[in-house]
Amino acid sequence: RIDSASEVEFVKDVCASNFLKHTTLQWEKPNKISNIQNCARLARTKLLTEWAYRKKISMILLGHSADDQAETIIMNLIRGSGLEGLRGMPSFFINEGIIFIRPFLSVGRDRLRAFLQDHKCSWIEDPSNFDDKFQRVKVRKLLPKLSELGLTISKINLTGERMASASSLMRRLSASEIDKCISINPWGELEIHKQ
């Protein structure tokens, strides 16, 4: 984005004032992109993974909040997702051996902002968070209306947790059934048996 250079300078200054190391990772954006937010998300993960390897870092913390989780679940519901989509974002994932953790998934965006205000910290709001051309922004604006009907962020995320539990159970059951159907014969060949 046009403002990203000034945002990087802001982050550099915050890090310097707190005696923290800072690295800027640059993305060479392709000319044609159909889904800029998804493409940027994948690029960030790739850049961070490559950086972590170079620095011998095994774990990266991400700042997704409870609000982000609820938005993701609603967006996946709109797409017609099943268990995997309705579980939302996992609290952690591994990409090429690097562990990505989301420690704030249970913390609301307002609570995070209040913490920053209480500690006299400033932050930058990404302007794309207010751009109605993105579905996430449309869902974000819809959430207060859903809350009026009783479908709060915490209830949406509770559903996500329940879907994650159901998904985990389905995976375990599927794995145990697969074990019953597959064996290796004395010659090292894989055999699949009908149940």
Side-chain angles (χ1 to χ4, degrees):
R1 290 180 293 99
I2 294 168
D3 297 331
S4 62
S6 62
E7 292 168 4
V8 167
E9 289 305 313
F10 170 84
V11 173
K12 277 184 184 177
D13 291 344
V14 169
C15 290
S17 67
N18 288 283
F19 307 102
L20 299 170
K21 292 181 183 178
H22 173 270
T23 304
T24 300
L25 304 174
Q26 295 203 355
W27 175 41
E28 296 301 323
K29 183 174 75 85
N31 290 332
K32 279 196 159 185
I33 298 176
S34 59
N35 183 340
I36 183 73
Q37 289 194 321
N38 187 53
C39 192
R41 180 182 57 78
L42 294 171
R44 276 192 303 270
T45 301
K46 182 177 186 293
L47 285 168
L48 287 168
T49 299
E50 291 169 352
W51 171 80
Y53 266 118
R54 287 193 305 273
K55 296 292 184 178
K56 297 185 177 11
I57 293 171
S58 60
M59 187 182 303
I60 294 174
L61 304 181
L62 302 174
H64 297 108
S65 68
D67 299 67
D68 297 314
Q69 179 73 302
E71 292 161 9
T72 298
I73 291 168
I74 294 295
M75 288 168 59
N76 289 342
L77 179 63
I78 291 167
R79 290 185 193 107
S81 293
L83 278 179
E84 291 303 307
L86 297 180
R87 67 189 296 208
M89 294 179 281
S91 59
F92 76 94
F93 66 94
I94 300 172
N95 186 56
E96 297 182 27
I98 305 298
I99 303 167
F100 287 76
I101 299 177
R102 295 181 172 108
F104 300 121
L105 271 187
S106 63
V107 182
R109 198 175 285 137
D110 289 342
R111 189 167 155 213
L112 291 171
R113 285 188 182 123
F115 177 88
L116 293 172
Q117 288 169 342
D118 291 346
H119 291 81
K120 310 228 180 324
C121 298
S122 53
W123 68 90
I124 295 174
E125 292 283 352
D126 181 344
S128 66
N129 286 337
F130 306 98
D131 190 337
D132 284 334
K133 75 178 177 188
F134 299 117
Q135 179 158 19
R136 182 171 291 277
V137 175
K138 292 175 185 172
V139 168
R140 185 170 295 147
K141 290 180 176 180
L142 175 67
L143 286 176
K145 295 191 182 309
L146 294 176
S147 186
E148 289 173 15
L149 297 171
L151 186 56
T152 61
I153 285 173
S154 61
K155 284 184 182 174
I156 294 167
N157 290 343
L158 178 60
T159 297
E161 291 168 18
R162 290 175 173 159
M163 293 297 111
S165 294
S167 173
S168 178
L169 175 64
M170 292 298 287
R171 286 176 190 217
R172 285 195 308 273
L173 290 173
S174 297
S176 69
E177 289 303 310
I178 286 172
D179 285 345
K180 294 176 190 174
C181 300
I182 296 175
S183 64
I184 298 176
N185 67 27
W187 303 276
E189 298 170 331
L190 187 70
E191 294 182 347
I192 299 175
H193 313 279
K194 288 185 179 179
Q195 287 290 321

Coordinates of all heavy atoms in Angstrom, one line a residue, residues 143-193:
L143 N -21.3 -7.8 12.1 CA -21.3 -8.4 13.4 C -22.1 -7.7 14.5 O -22.8 -8.3 15.3 CB -19.8 -8.6 13.9 CG -19.1 -9.8 13.2 CD1 -17.6 -9.8 13.6 CD2 -19.7 -11.1 13.4
P144 N -22.1 -6.4 14.6 CA -22.9 -5.7 15.6 C -24.4 -6.0 15.4 O -25.1 -6.1 16.4 CB -22.6 -4.2 15.4 CG -21.2 -4.2 14.8 CD -21.2 -5.4 13.9
K145 N -24.8 -6.1 14.2 CA -26.2 -6.4 13.9 C -26.6 -7.8 14.4 O -27.6 -8.1 14.9 CB -26.6 -6.2 12.4 CG -26.5 -4.8 12.0 CD -27.1 -4.6 10.6 CE -26.9 -3.1 10.1 NZ -27.4 -2.1 11.0
L146 N -25.6 -8.8 14.1 CA -25.8 -10.1 14.6 C -25.8 -10.2 16.1 O -26.6 -11.0 16.7 CB -24.7 -11.0 14.0 CG -24.7 -11.2 12.5 CD1 -23.5 -12.1 12.1 CD2 -26.0 -11.9 12.0
S147 N -25.0 -9.4 16.7 CA -25.0 -9.3 18.2 C -26.3 -8.9 18.8 O -26.7 -9.4 19.8 CB -23.8 -8.4 18.6 OG -23.7 -8.4 20.0
E148 N -27.0 -7.9 18.1 CA -28.3 -7.5 18.5 C -29.3 -8.6 18.6 O -30.2 -8.7 19.3 CB -28.8 -6.4 17.6 CG -28.1 -5.1 17.8 CD -28.5 -4.0 16.7 OE1 -29.6 -4.3 16.1 OE2 -27.8 -3.1 16.5
L149 N -29.1 -9.6 17.7 CA -29.9 -10.8 17.6 C -29.5 -11.9 18.6 O -30.1 -12.9 18.7 CB -30.0 -11.4 16.2 CG -30.5 -10.5 15.1 CD1 -30.3 -11.1 13.7 CD2 -32.0 -10.2 15.3
G150 N -28.4 -11.7 19.3 CA -27.9 -12.6 20.3 C -26.7 -13.4 19.7 O -26.2 -14.3 20.5
L151 N -26.4 -13.2 18.5 CA -25.2 -14.0 17.9 C -24.0 -13.1 18.1 O -23.5 -12.4 17.2 CB -25.5 -14.3 16.4 CG -24.4 -15.2 15.7 CD1 -24.3 -16.5 16.5 CD2 -24.8 -15.4 14.3
T152 N -23.4 -13.2 19.3 CA -22.3 -12.4 19.7 C -21.0 -13.0 19.2 O -21.0 -14.2 18.8 CB -22.2 -12.3 21.2 OG1 -22.0 -13.6 21.7 CG2 -23.4 -11.6 21.8
I153 N -19.9 -12.3 19.2 CA -18.6 -12.8 18.8 C -18.2 -14.0 19.7 O -17.7 -15.0 19.1 CB -17.5 -11.7 18.9 CG1 -17.7 -10.7 17.8 CG2 -16.1 -12.3 19.0 CD1 -16.8 -9.5 17.9
S154 N -18.5 -14.0 21.0 CA -18.2 -15.1 21.8 C -19.0 -16.3 21.5 O -18.4 -17.5 21.5 CB -18.3 -14.7 23.3 OG -19.7 -14.4 23.6
K155 N -20.2 -16.2 21.1 CA -21.0 -17.3 20.7 C -20.6 -17.9 19.4 O -20.5 -19.1 19.2 CB -22.5 -16.9 20.6 CG -23.2 -16.8 22.0 CD -24.6 -16.6 21.9 CE -25.3 -16.4 23.3 NZ -26.7 -16.0 23.2
I156 N -20.2 -17.0 18.4 CA -19.7 -17.5 17.1 C -18.4 -18.3 17.4 O -18.2 -19.4 16.8 CB -19.4 -16.3 16.2 CG1 -20.7 -15.6 15.8 CG2 -18.7 -16.8 14.9 CD1 -20.5 -14.2 15.1
N157 N -17.5 -17.8 18.2 CA -16.3 -18.5 18.5 C -16.5 -19.7 19.3 O -15.7 -20.7 19.1 CB -15.3 -17.5 19.2 CG -14.8 -16.4 18.2 OD1 -15.0 -16.5 17.0 ND2 -14.2 -15.4 18.7
L158 N -17.5 -19.8 20.2 CA -17.8 -21.0 20.9 C -18.2 -22.1 19.9 O -17.8 -23.2 20.0 CB -18.9 -20.8 21.9 CG -19.4 -22.0 22.7 CD1 -18.2 -22.6 23.5 CD2 -20.5 -21.6 23.6
T159 N -19.0 -21.7 18.9 CA -19.4 -22.6 17.8 C -18.1 -23.1 17.1 O -18.0 -24.3 16.8 CB -20.4 -22.0 16.8 OG1 -21.6 -21.6 17.5 CG2 -20.7 -22.9 15.6
G160 N -17.2 -22.2 16.8 CA -15.9 -22.6 16.2 C -15.2 -23.6 17.0 O -14.6 -24.6 16.4
E161 N -15.1 -23.4 18.3 CA -14.5 -24.3 19.2 C -15.1 -25.7 19.1 O -14.5 -26.8 19.1 CB -14.4 -23.8 20.6 CG -13.5 -22.6 20.8 CD -13.7 -21.9 22.2 OE1 -14.3 -22.6 23.1 OE2 -13.3 -20.8 22.3
R162 N -16.4 -25.7 19.1 CA -17.2 -27.0 19.1 C -17.0 -27.7 17.7 O -16.8 -28.9 17.7 CB -18.7 -26.7 19.3 CG -18.9 -26.3 20.8 CD -20.4 -26.0 21.0 NE -20.6 -25.8 22.4 CZ -21.6 -25.1 22.9 NH1 -22.5 -24.5 22.1 NH2 -21.7 -24.9 24.2
M163 N -16.9 -26.9 16.6 CA -16.6 -27.5 15.3 C -15.2 -28.0 15.3 O -14.9 -29.1 14.7 CB -16.8 -26.4 14.2 CG -18.2 -26.0 14.0 SD -19.3 -27.3 13.5 CE -20.3 -27.4 14.9
A164 N -14.3 -27.4 16.0 CA -12.9 -27.9 16.0 C -12.8 -29.2 16.8 O -12.1 -30.1 16.3 CB -12.0 -26.8 16.7
S165 N -13.6 -29.3 17.8 CA -13.6 -30.6 18.6 C -14.2 -31.7 17.7 O -13.7 -32.8 17.7 CB -14.5 -30.4 19.9 OG -13.8 -29.5 20.8
A166 N -15.3 -31.4 17.0 CA -15.9 -32.4 16.2 C -15.0 -32.8 15.0 O -14.9 -34.0 14.7 CB -17.2 -31.8 15.6
S167 N -14.3 -31.8 14.5 CA -13.3 -32.1 13.4 C -12.2 -33.0 13.9 O -11.8 -34.0 13.2 CB -12.8 -30.8 12.9 OG -11.7 -31.0 12.0
S168 N -11.7 -32.7 15.1 CA -10.7 -33.5 15.7 C -11.1 -34.9 15.9 O -10.4 -35.9 15.6 CB -10.2 -32.9 17.0 OG -9.2 -33.7 17.6
L169 N -12.4 -35.1 16.4 CA -12.9 -36.4 16.6 C -13.1 -37.2 15.3 O -12.7 -38.4 15.2 CB -14.3 -36.3 17.3 CG -15.0 -37.6 17.5 CD1 -14.3 -38.6 18.4 CD2 -16.4 -37.4 18.1
M170 N -13.6 -36.5 14.3 CA -13.7 -37.1 13.0 C -12.4 -37.6 12.4 O -12.3 -38.7 11.8 CB -14.4 -36.2 12.0 CG -15.8 -35.8 12.3 SD -16.9 -37.3 12.2 CE -17.0 -37.5 10.5
R171 N -11.3 -36.8 12.6 CA -10.0 -37.2 12.1 C -9.5 -38.4 12.8 O -9.0 -39.3 12.2 CB -9.0 -36.0 12.3 CG -9.2 -34.9 11.4 CD -8.2 -33.8 11.7 NE -8.6 -32.6 10.9 CZ -7.7 -31.8 10.4 NH1 -6.4 -32.0 10.6 NH2 -8.0 -30.7 9.7
R172 N -9.7 -38.5 14.2 CA -9.3 -39.6 14.9 C -10.0 -40.9 14.5 O -9.4 -42.0 14.4 CB -9.4 -39.4 16.5 CG -8.3 -38.4 17.0 CD -8.3 -38.4 18.5 NE -9.5 -38.3 19.2 CZ -10.1 -37.1 19.5 NH1 -9.4 -36.0 19.2 NH2 -11.2 -37.0 20.2
L173 N -11.3 -40.7 14.4 CA -12.1 -41.9 14.0 C -11.8 -42.4 12.6 O -11.6 -43.6 12.3 CB -13.6 -41.6 14.0 CG -14.2 -41.4 15.4 CD1 -15.7 -40.9 15.3 CD2 -14.2 -42.6 16.2
S174 N -11.5 -41.4 11.7 CA -11.1 -41.8 10.3 C -9.8 -42.5 10.3 O -9.6 -43.5 9.6 CB -11.0 -40.6 9.4 OG -12.3 -39.9 9.3
A175 N -8.9 -42.0 11.1 CA -7.5 -42.6 11.2 C -7.6 -44.1 11.7 O -7.0 -45.0 11.2 CB -6.6 -41.8 12.1
S176 N -8.5 -44.3 12.7 CA -8.6 -45.6 13.3 C -9.2 -46.6 12.3 O -8.9 -47.8 12.2 CB -9.4 -45.6 14.6 OG -10.7 -45.3 14.4
E177 N -10.2 -46.1 11.5 CA -10.8 -46.9 10.5 C -9.9 -47.2 9.4 O -9.8 -48.3 8.8 CB -12.1 -46.2 9.9 CG -13.2 -46.2 10.9 CD -13.7 -47.6 11.4 OE1 -13.9 -48.5 10.6 OE2 -13.8 -47.8 12.6
I178 N -9.0 -46.3 9.0 CA -8.0 -46.5 7.9 C -7.1 -47.6 8.4 O -6.7 -48.4 7.6 CB -7.3 -45.2 7.6 CG1 -8.3 -44.3 6.8 CG2 -6.0 -45.4 6.8 CD1 -7.8 -42.9 6.5
D179 N -6.7 -47.5 9.6 CA -5.7 -48.6 10.2 C -6.3 -50.0 10.0 O -5.6 -50.9 9.8 CB -5.4 -48.3 11.6 CG -4.4 -47.1 11.8 OD1 -3.8 -46.7 10.8 OD2 -4.3 -46.6 12.9
K180 N -7.7 -50.1 10.1 CA -8.3 -51.4 10.0 C -8.3 -51.9 8.5 O -8.4 -53.0 8.2 CB -9.7 -51.3 10.5 CG -9.8 -51.1 12.0 CD -11.3 -51.0 12.4 CE -11.4 -50.5 13.8 NZ -12.8 -50.2 14.2
C181 N -8.3 -50.9 7.6 CA -8.4 -51.2 6.2 C -7.1 -51.4 5.4 O -7.1 -51.9 4.3 CB -9.2 -50.1 5.5 SG -10.8 -49.9 6.1
I182 N -6.0 -51.0 6.1 CA -4.7 -51.0 5.4 C -3.7 -51.9 6.1 O -3.7 -51.9 7.3 CB -4.1 -49.6 5.3 CG1 -5.1 -48.8 4.4 CG2 -2.7 -49.6 4.7 CD1 -4.6 -47.3 4.3
S183 N -3.0 -52.7 5.4 CA -1.9 -53.5 6.0 C -0.8 -53.6 5.0 O -1.0 -53.3 3.8 CB -2.4 -54.9 6.4 OG -2.8 -55.6 5.2
I184 N 0.4 -54.0 5.5 CA 1.5 -54.2 4.6 C 1.8 -55.7 4.6 O 2.0 -56.3 5.7 CB 2.7 -53.4 5.1 CG1 2.4 -51.9 5.0 CG2 4.0 -53.7 4.3 CD1 3.4 -51.0 5.5
N185 N 1.9 -56.3 3.4 CA 2.1 -57.7 3.3 C 3.6 -58.0 3.5 O 4.4 -57.1 3.6 CB 1.6 -58.3 2.0 CG 2.3 -57.8 0.8 OD1 3.5 -57.4 0.8 ND2 1.6 -57.8 -0.3
P186 N 4.0 -59.3 3.6 CA 5.4 -59.6 3.9 C 6.4 -59.1 2.8 O 7.6 -59.0 3.1 CB 5.4 -61.2 3.9 CG 4.0 -61.6 4.2 CD 3.1 -60.5 3.6
W187 N 5.9 -58.8 1.6 CA 6.7 -58.3 0.5 C 6.9 -56.7 0.6 O 7.5 -56.1 -0.3 CB 6.2 -58.7 -0.8 CG 6.1 -60.2 -0.9 CD1 7.2 -61.1 -1.2 CD2 5.0 -61.0 -0.6 NE1 6.7 -62.4 -1.1 CE2 5.4 -62.4 -0.7 CE3 3.7 -60.8 -0.2 CZ2 4.5 -63.4 -0.5 CZ3 2.8 -61.8 0.0 CH2 3.2 -63.1 -0.1
G188 N 6.2 -56.1 1.6 CA 6.3 -54.7 1.7 C 5.3 -53.9 0.9 O 5.4 -52.7 0.7
E189 N 4.3 -54.6 0.3 CA 3.3 -54.0 -0.5 C 2.1 -53.6 0.4 O 1.7 -54.2 1.3 CB 2.8 -54.9 -1.6 CG 3.9 -55.3 -2.6 CD 3.4 -56.5 -3.5 OE1 2.5 -57.3 -3.1 OE2 3.9 -56.5 -4.6
L190 N 1.6 -52.4 0.1 CA 0.4 -51.9 0.8 C -0.9 -52.6 0.3 O -1.1 -52.7 -0.9 CB 0.3 -50.4 0.6 CG -0.8 -49.7 1.4 CD1 -0.4 -49.6 2.8 CD2 -0.9 -48.2 0.9
E191 N -1.7 -53.2 1.2 CA -2.9 -53.8 0.9 C -4.1 -53.1 1.5 O -4.0 -52.7 2.7 CB -2.9 -55.3 1.3 CG -1.9 -56.1 0.6 CD -1.9 -57.6 1.1 OE1 -2.6 -57.9 2.1 OE2 -1.3 -58.4 0.4
I192 N -5.1 -52.9 0.7 CA -6.3 -52.2 1.2 C -7.4 -53.3 1.2 O -7.7 -53.9 0.2 CB -6.7 -51.0 0.3 CG1 -5.6 -50.0 0.3 CG2 -8.0 -50.4 0.7 CD1 -5.8 -48.8 -0.7
H193 N -8.1 -53.4 2.4 CA -9.1 -54.4 2.6 C -10.5 -53.7 2.7 O -10.6 -52.7 3.3 CB -8.9 -55.2 3.9 CG -7.5 -55.6 4.0 ND1 -7.0 -56.8 3.4 CD2 -6.4 -55.1 4.7 CE1 -5.7 -56.9 3.7 NE2 -5.3 -55.9 4.5

